[in-house]
Amino acid sequence: MNEVLAEAAEAGQRAAGWVRALAERQAQKRHHVVLARAADAVEQAAGREVVPGGAGQLTEELAYDLSADVVTGSPYAEELPELSMGERITLVAVCALAAAMPRTVLGNLERELPALTATMDATVEAVVLSRRRLGDLTES
């Protein structure tokens, strides 16, 4: 079980790193803050929030930071965050997967958590690959 928990935490760190890269790209500081908070929440929800024998519940703050409206960024900014459609879709998926991870302790953690972990990794890998391919096409 420790290996399953460690793999989930590592996937959360990788996904959080991707979200942090999105945050760094934002010209508007308010969007940067929203995305950085989402990155921290992904890392926490995929890691220390998955507590065997625990209640499987996210705190209200984590649930807020992982909600789908992260793609619209700060409501106080003048424009939406600078994200491609693929990045928006991936961001929502990563947040939803992270939010689901703590609940695996209520079911079959050893079956469910690896599925969520693999899906999180594949989701981020897909958008990174598509961005690379797009870059390759524009350089040709």
Side-chain angles (χ1 to χ4, degrees), residues 42-116:
V42 166
E43 191 167 359
Q44 185 175 342
R48 66 179 184 247
E49 292 297 310
V50 184
V51 180
Q57 298 294 315
L58 287 176
T59 65
E60 188 174 328
E61 182 179 355
L62 277 178
Y64 178 81
D65 289 339
L66 293 172
S67 65
D69 68 350
V70 69
V71 299
T72 60
S74 171
Y76 305 108
E78 295 176 21
E79 298 174 6
L80 292 174
E82 298 169 26
L83 301 170
S84 70
M85 185 56 69
E87 291 167 336
R88 288 179 186 167
I89 292 166
T90 303
L91 182 58
V92 170
V94 163
C95 288
L97 290 161
M101 287 179 164
R103 286 191 298 260
T104 62
V105 302
L106 302 176
N108 185 336
L109 182 138
E110 291 181 352
R111 183 191 73 214
E112 297 168 6
L113 192 57
L116 294 174

